[in-house]
Amino acid sequence: MKEWKRISAVARRELRIIRNRPLYLVGSIGVITFCTIFFLTFLKGGLPHDIPIGLVDEDYSTTSRNFSQQLDATQLGKVVHYDSFAEAREDMTSGKISAVCVIPKGMNDDIQAFRQPKISFYINGLYFVSGALAWKDLLTMVNLTNGAVQRQVFRAKGYNDEQIMGMIRPIDIDTHQIGNVTTNYNYYLTGTLLPAILEMIIIIVLIYSLGTELKYGTSRHLLNKAGNSITTALTGKLTVWTLIFSAIGLILILLLYHWMHFPMAGSIFNMFIAMFLLVLASEAVAIFILEMIPVPRLALSIGALYSVLGFSLSGFTLPLEAMPPYIQGLAVAFPIRHYYLLLVQEAIFGTGFAGWWKEVACLLLFLFVPLLGLRRLKNAYINQNYPKD
């Protein structure tokens, strides 16, 4: 009972600190609110559309005009006409357009004479998403144009439409985009990006909260409140922050999978569990970083670097299997990686506990990491012999 009173005293002390320093609420609730509004608004359309594609038509034929009209009618592309390739290339270099398509002179005559005309594409690879989508749109339109030309030739030879389609497209492709039928970038990115941002906020804010006890020399007062127990001191402080971060995480889950109707093949309750484990694992990482480097400035730098690396090593932007083997091994040291794998198994495939129990075990293992440096942190709190700036 006495121990609970000490934990309660530390928790009340932490609440007073948060109330007197608005920076804590701004850095936690304020930042995640801004990021949530920004990304959900920025990716509201789901998929980028009306990507500017420059078109240089040197043929001026019915076929080239039809190609231009069909390209402009697609959802992805918006045709910008140019009189010369030099002008289009200049605009692509400056970022005004994402790609340039050059229709050569005499293309229609070459088609009629069964010669093979060449349509040139120039893609700006510096803008990965818009460049890739522009490439996809152009390639699709060229294939459709090629099929239309072949269909006219076969019709002239007396073939019916069924025979023509069998010759033009002998193998039909039946595509199933599991978990994201509409290729919605909001579903693909935001579902993992916002939890990753929350992980970064937890690590940075908690390192700052624990580090300020050293910076302002209040760590001995904290230990005095906790009965000279570093475990009690951390439990009291973490009780407050765990409630705050867990509430933020639960709101994120409700926002994404209930109000925004993100794909959810499994149970939203299981995603609550995943988010809670992510919060606990991120707090454990923050404590461990400060234990190993009890210097607030350096610990914050290491925590920020660690959090940013988690975005890449989680595997939601670039598959982890495509990275070097030694990088794949490092990925297990990031809680967001295990959250992402749990998200895939539950939200996309709906496998239940049987599909993600290993990720739960890995997230729980993070909770034991701070035990390695508790004595070091307690000594730092007592002696206060580390640089404070």
Side-chain angles (χ1 to χ4, degrees), residues 111 143-157 159 164 167-169:
I111 292 174
N143 288 331
L144 291 176
T145 302
N146 181 50
V149 171
Q150 292 184 54
R151 184 175 60 182
Q152 292 179 356
V153 172
F154 287 130
R155 279 179 177 174
K157 292 182 178 182
Y159 293 100
I164 292 172
M167 289 183 285
I168 293 177
R169 194 173 182 177

Short mmCIF file of all heavy atoms in Angstrom, two decimals, residues 111 143-157 159 164 167-169:
data_model
loop_
_atom_site.label_atom_id
_atom_site.label_comp_id
_atom_site.label_asym_id
_atom_site.label_seq_id
_atom_site.Cartn_x
_atom_site.Cartn_y
_atom_site.Cartn_z
N ILE A 111 2.77 2.92 -89.20
CA ILE A 111 1.80 1.91 -88.76
C ILE A 111 1.08 1.31 -89.96
O ILE A 111 0.92 0.08 -90.06
CB ILE A 111 0.79 2.53 -87.77
CG1 ILE A 111 1.48 2.89 -86.45
CG2 ILE A 111 -0.38 1.57 -87.51
CD1 ILE A 111 0.59 3.64 -85.48
N ASN A 143 0.20 0.51 -74.98
CA ASN A 143 -0.28 -0.87 -75.19
C ASN A 143 -1.70 -0.88 -75.74
O ASN A 143 -2.04 -1.70 -76.60
CB ASN A 143 -0.22 -1.65 -73.87
CG ASN A 143 1.20 -1.97 -73.45
OD1 ASN A 143 2.07 -2.13 -74.30
ND2 ASN A 143 1.44 -2.07 -72.16
N LEU A 144 -2.55 0.02 -75.23
CA LEU A 144 -3.91 0.10 -75.75
C LEU A 144 -3.93 0.56 -77.21
O LEU A 144 -4.70 0.06 -78.02
CB LEU A 144 -4.74 1.05 -74.88
CG LEU A 144 -5.06 0.57 -73.46
CD1 LEU A 144 -5.79 1.66 -72.68
CD2 LEU A 144 -5.92 -0.70 -73.52
N THR A 145 -3.07 1.53 -77.52
CA THR A 145 -2.98 2.00 -78.91
C THR A 145 -2.49 0.90 -79.83
O THR A 145 -3.00 0.70 -80.93
CB THR A 145 -2.05 3.22 -78.99
OG1 THR A 145 -2.52 4.25 -78.13
CG2 THR A 145 -1.98 3.75 -80.43
N ASN A 146 -1.50 0.16 -79.36
CA ASN A 146 -0.98 -0.96 -80.13
C ASN A 146 -2.07 -2.00 -80.38
O ASN A 146 -2.22 -2.53 -81.49
CB ASN A 146 0.19 -1.58 -79.38
CG ASN A 146 0.80 -2.75 -80.13
OD1 ASN A 146 1.12 -2.65 -81.31
ND2 ASN A 146 0.97 -3.88 -79.45
N GLY A 147 -2.87 -2.28 -79.33
CA GLY A 147 -3.96 -3.24 -79.49
C GLY A 147 -5.02 -2.75 -80.45
O GLY A 147 -5.58 -3.54 -81.24
N ALA A 148 -5.31 -1.44 -80.41
CA ALA A 148 -6.33 -0.89 -81.31
C ALA A 148 -5.88 -0.99 -82.76
O ALA A 148 -6.68 -1.30 -83.66
CB ALA A 148 -6.60 0.57 -80.93
N VAL A 149 -4.60 -0.73 -83.02
CA VAL A 149 -4.08 -0.83 -84.39
C VAL A 149 -4.16 -2.27 -84.89
O VAL A 149 -4.59 -2.55 -86.02
CB VAL A 149 -2.62 -0.31 -84.45
CG1 VAL A 149 -2.00 -0.62 -85.80
CG2 VAL A 149 -2.58 1.19 -84.16
N GLN A 150 -3.76 -3.20 -84.04
CA GLN A 150 -3.82 -4.61 -84.44
C GLN A 150 -5.26 -5.06 -84.68
O GLN A 150 -5.53 -5.84 -85.60
CB GLN A 150 -3.19 -5.48 -83.35
CG GLN A 150 -1.69 -5.30 -83.18
CD GLN A 150 -1.12 -6.26 -82.16
OE1 GLN A 150 -1.31 -7.46 -82.26
NE2 GLN A 150 -0.41 -5.73 -81.17
N ARG A 151 -6.17 -4.55 -83.88
CA ARG A 151 -7.57 -4.94 -84.07
C ARG A 151 -8.09 -4.47 -85.42
O ARG A 151 -8.80 -5.20 -86.11
CB ARG A 151 -8.42 -4.34 -82.94
CG ARG A 151 -9.88 -4.77 -82.99
CD ARG A 151 -10.64 -4.24 -81.80
NE ARG A 151 -10.60 -2.78 -81.76
CZ ARG A 151 -11.16 -2.05 -80.78
NH1 ARG A 151 -11.75 -2.67 -79.78
NH2 ARG A 151 -11.09 -0.74 -80.81
N GLN A 152 -7.73 -3.26 -85.84
CA GLN A 152 -8.16 -2.77 -87.14
C GLN A 152 -7.60 -3.63 -88.27
O GLN A 152 -8.29 -3.94 -89.25
CB GLN A 152 -7.72 -1.31 -87.32
CG GLN A 152 -8.44 -0.34 -86.40
CD GLN A 152 -7.95 1.09 -86.59
OE1 GLN A 152 -7.03 1.33 -87.36
NE2 GLN A 152 -8.55 2.02 -85.87
N VAL A 153 -6.34 -4.02 -88.12
CA VAL A 153 -5.72 -4.86 -89.16
C VAL A 153 -6.42 -6.21 -89.25
O VAL A 153 -6.75 -6.69 -90.36
CB VAL A 153 -4.22 -5.05 -88.85
CG1 VAL A 153 -3.60 -6.07 -89.83
CG2 VAL A 153 -3.48 -3.71 -88.94
N PHE A 154 -6.68 -6.84 -88.13
CA PHE A 154 -7.32 -8.15 -88.12
C PHE A 154 -8.77 -8.07 -88.60
O PHE A 154 -9.28 -9.00 -89.24
CB PHE A 154 -7.25 -8.78 -86.73
CG PHE A 154 -5.87 -9.26 -86.36
CD1 PHE A 154 -5.30 -8.92 -85.14
CD2 PHE A 154 -5.15 -10.07 -87.23
CE1 PHE A 154 -4.03 -9.37 -84.80
CE2 PHE A 154 -3.88 -10.52 -86.89
CZ PHE A 154 -3.31 -10.17 -85.69
N ARG A 155 -9.45 -6.97 -88.29
CA ARG A 155 -10.82 -6.80 -88.79
C ARG A 155 -10.82 -6.70 -90.30
O ARG A 155 -11.72 -7.25 -90.98
CB ARG A 155 -11.45 -5.56 -88.17
CG ARG A 155 -12.00 -5.77 -86.77
CD ARG A 155 -12.57 -4.48 -86.22
NE ARG A 155 -13.17 -4.68 -84.89
CZ ARG A 155 -13.64 -3.69 -84.13
NH1 ARG A 155 -13.55 -2.42 -84.57
NH2 ARG A 155 -14.18 -3.95 -82.95
N ALA A 156 -9.82 -6.01 -90.84
CA ALA A 156 -9.73 -5.90 -92.30
C ALA A 156 -9.48 -7.25 -92.96
O ALA A 156 -9.85 -7.46 -94.12
CB ALA A 156 -8.62 -4.92 -92.67
N LYS A 157 -8.88 -8.16 -92.20
CA LYS A 157 -8.63 -9.49 -92.74
C LYS A 157 -9.79 -10.45 -92.53
O LYS A 157 -9.72 -11.62 -92.93
CB LYS A 157 -7.37 -10.08 -92.08
CG LYS A 157 -6.09 -9.36 -92.47
CD LYS A 157 -4.88 -10.02 -91.82
CE LYS A 157 -3.58 -9.32 -92.24
NZ LYS A 157 -2.39 -9.96 -91.64
N TYR A 159 -11.39 -11.30 -89.48
CA TYR A 159 -11.52 -12.00 -88.20
C TYR A 159 -12.61 -11.33 -87.36
O TYR A 159 -12.82 -10.11 -87.44
CB TYR A 159 -10.21 -11.97 -87.42
CG TYR A 159 -9.09 -12.77 -88.06
CD1 TYR A 159 -8.09 -12.12 -88.81
CD2 TYR A 159 -9.03 -14.15 -87.92
CE1 TYR A 159 -7.07 -12.84 -89.39
CE2 TYR A 159 -8.01 -14.88 -88.50
CZ TYR A 159 -7.03 -14.22 -89.24
OH TYR A 159 -6.02 -14.94 -89.83
N ILE A 164 -9.95 -11.95 -82.64
CA ILE A 164 -8.97 -10.86 -82.56
C ILE A 164 -8.41 -10.74 -81.13
O ILE A 164 -7.20 -10.63 -80.93
CB ILE A 164 -9.61 -9.53 -83.00
CG1 ILE A 164 -9.93 -9.57 -84.49
CG2 ILE A 164 -8.71 -8.35 -82.67
CD1 ILE A 164 -10.73 -8.38 -84.97
N MET A 167 -5.87 -13.30 -80.31
CA MET A 167 -4.56 -13.09 -80.92
C MET A 167 -3.82 -11.90 -80.31
O MET A 167 -2.61 -11.93 -80.13
CB MET A 167 -4.72 -12.90 -82.43
CG MET A 167 -5.11 -14.18 -83.17
SD MET A 167 -5.22 -13.98 -84.95
CE MET A 167 -6.76 -13.07 -85.10
N ILE A 168 -4.58 -10.85 -79.98
CA ILE A 168 -3.95 -9.67 -79.40
C ILE A 168 -3.52 -9.93 -77.96
O ILE A 168 -2.43 -9.56 -77.52
CB ILE A 168 -4.91 -8.46 -79.45
CG1 ILE A 168 -5.15 -8.04 -80.90
CG2 ILE A 168 -4.34 -7.28 -78.66
CD1 ILE A 168 -6.14 -6.90 -81.04
N ARG A 169 -4.42 -10.59 -77.23
CA ARG A 169 -4.16 -10.85 -75.81
C ARG A 169 -4.45 -12.31 -75.51
O ARG A 169 -5.50 -12.65 -74.95
CB ARG A 169 -5.04 -9.94 -74.94
CG ARG A 169 -4.63 -9.88 -73.49
CD ARG A 169 -5.43 -8.84 -72.75
NE ARG A 169 -5.03 -8.72 -71.36
CZ ARG A 169 -5.54 -7.84 -70.49
NH1 ARG A 169 -6.46 -7.00 -70.90
NH2 ARG A 169 -5.11 -7.80 -69.25
#
